[in-house]
């Protein structure tokens, strides 16, 4: 998967978000990578380039635009 953008998320929200994204058939992986700007209690939901139609759902779920994944 070509990684494009990510959202830092507190670990307590992971279950809900994972279930919601799976129900919408949106591709993602969960990472904890030193290159990402994460707090100690956070993980990253990482997404590939996705169609605008799917991105709208992701944007609404997270409430903001994602951060660019470092190259």
């Amino acid at each position: 998967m070509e990684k494009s953008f990510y959202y830092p998320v507190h670990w307590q929200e992971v279950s809900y978000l994972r279930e919601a994204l799976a129900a919408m058939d949106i591709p993602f992986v969960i990472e904890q990578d030193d290159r990402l700007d994460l707090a100690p209690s956070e993980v990253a939901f990482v997404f590939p380039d996705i169609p605008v139609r799917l991105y709208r759902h992701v944007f609404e779920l997270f409430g903001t635009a994602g951060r660019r994944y470092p190259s």
Side-chain angles (χ1 to χ4, degrees):
M1 175 175 84
E2 183 75 24
K3 299 170 184 173
S4 179
F5 63 98
Y6 73 97
Y7 288 91
V9 175
H10 192 274
W11 64 269
Q12 291 177 326
E13 299 176 55
V14 169
S15 180
Y16 164 75
L17 293 169
R18 182 178 52 217
E19 290 175 16
L21 290 165
M24 293 185 275
D25 290 325
I26 298 175
F28 69 94
V29 295
I30 299 172
E31 293 185 0
Q32 282 185 309
D33 190 317
D34 292 339
R35 296 179 302 154
L36 306 177
D37 185 24
L38 300 173
S41 61
E42 291 180 329
V43 297
F45 276 77
V46 181
F47 298 88
D49 282 331
I50 54 177
V52 172
R53 166 180 65 77
L54 292 179
Y55 182 76
R56 181 179 59 84
H57 294 298
V58 173
F59 184 90
E60 290 173 357
L61 184 63
F62 287 90
T64 186
R67 297 180 185 174
R68 184 151 196 62
Y69 195 87
S71 26

